[in-house]
Amino acid sequence: MRPIPLILLLASLLSACATGNDPSRSRQVAQSGALKVHPGLLGQAVPTELQGTSPVVTTAAAEPAETPMRMDEEGLRTQRSVYFDLDQAAIKADYDPILQAHARYLARNPQTRVRIEGHADERGSGGYNDRLGLKRAQSVRATLLGHGAGSTQVTVKTWGKRKPKLLGRNEEAWAENRRADVIYEQDAGK
């Protein structure tokens, strides 16, 4: 009967330690209205309706508030990966503004070409991951075409599990490798 009280004592001590140093518990921030975070601060494409607004800046080291994300080729490169759930090729709604921005750029620049490279994590057979990477690339291509990119501007390629972005055998690495990347023509040599 002694091990149970000892286990309870250890569990309560560990839970007390876990919450004792949590800075979010010790400091409360009062705010009225909805929390507003500019998408540019999150590394996401800024929707056109927000480009005129200035982002909320919380640190002195942040970029100037007046600088919206550039919607040219260079600016669009900052957000060009679309991530997927396990064994899925459906695009999450979070990525629609990003893909719309890429499609708008492609529609305005018909000479520009992109390649969508589909990837999968290391789990599963090579053939399965190649097919899944291809489906992911095709989903991104279809979305770009649906938002106005030309069909000759967008090609697809699958890498399956052969080109991981993050090495590792854990959920963090697997999540990072379940993606499709938008590669602009001049990126091919990099």
Side-chain angles (χ1 to χ4, degrees):
M1 294 301 285
R2 287 189 126 202
I4 293 176
L6 181 60
I7 292 172
L8 291 174
L9 177 63
L10 285 174
S12 65
L13 286 173
L14 289 175
S15 67
C17 290
T19 59
N21 292 330
D22 184 4
S24 65
R25 291 181 155 284
S26 62
R27 187 171 48 125
Q28 297 294 321
V29 177
Q31 176 181 347
S32 61
L35 177 63
K36 295 180 182 176
V37 178
H38 198 276
L41 294 175
L42 301 174
Q44 297 177 352
V46 179
T48 14
E49 60 271 10
L50 295 179
Q51 287 184 10
T53 64
S54 46
V56 177
V57 179
T58 57
T59 63
E63 294 272 318
E66 310 81 47
T67 309
M69 179 182 166
R70 292 172 46 192
M71 287 298 163
D72 62 5
E73 210 170 300
E74 186 175 333
L76 288 174
R77 285 190 198 134
T78 62
Q79 183 60 49
R80 60 182 184 176
S81 293
V82 175
Y83 294 93
F84 296 87
D85 290 330
L86 178 64
D87 295 328
Q88 297 296 312
I91 296 175
K92 298 175 190 174
D94 298 354
Y95 294 102
D96 201 54
I98 296 161
L99 294 175
Q100 282 180 8
H102 282 287
R104 278 194 304 270
Y105 180 80
L106 290 169
R108 285 187 295 234
N109 298 280
Q111 77 289 353
T112 303
R113 305 285 184 263
V114 294
R115 180 179 62 252
I116 311 302
E117 295 184 351
H119 301 269
D121 63 39
E122 66 179 342
R123 298 171 290 178
S125 70
Y128 174 80
N129 284 323
D130 283 345
R131 288 187 300 277
L132 183 57
L134 183 60
K135 285 180 188 177
R136 289 172 175 166
Q138 289 170 335
S139 291
V140 172
R141 180 180 190 271
T143 302
L144 289 173
L145 296 180
H147 288 309
S151 61
T152 59
Q153 291 179 281
V154 186
T155 60
V156 296
K157 179 178 181 78
T158 182
W159 287 104
K161 61 183 177 181
R162 292 185 303 274
K163 289 184 93 176
K165 191 174 192 178
L166 183 62
L167 295 175
R169 299 185 130 253
N170 55 48
E171 188 54 44
E172 179 186 4
W174 295 328
E176 192 68 28
N177 294 327
R178 293 190 303 258
R179 71 187 193 286
D181 295 324
V182 179
I183 308 295
Y184 281 82
E185 223 172 33
Q186 51 271 37
D187 293 341
K190 293 183 181 179

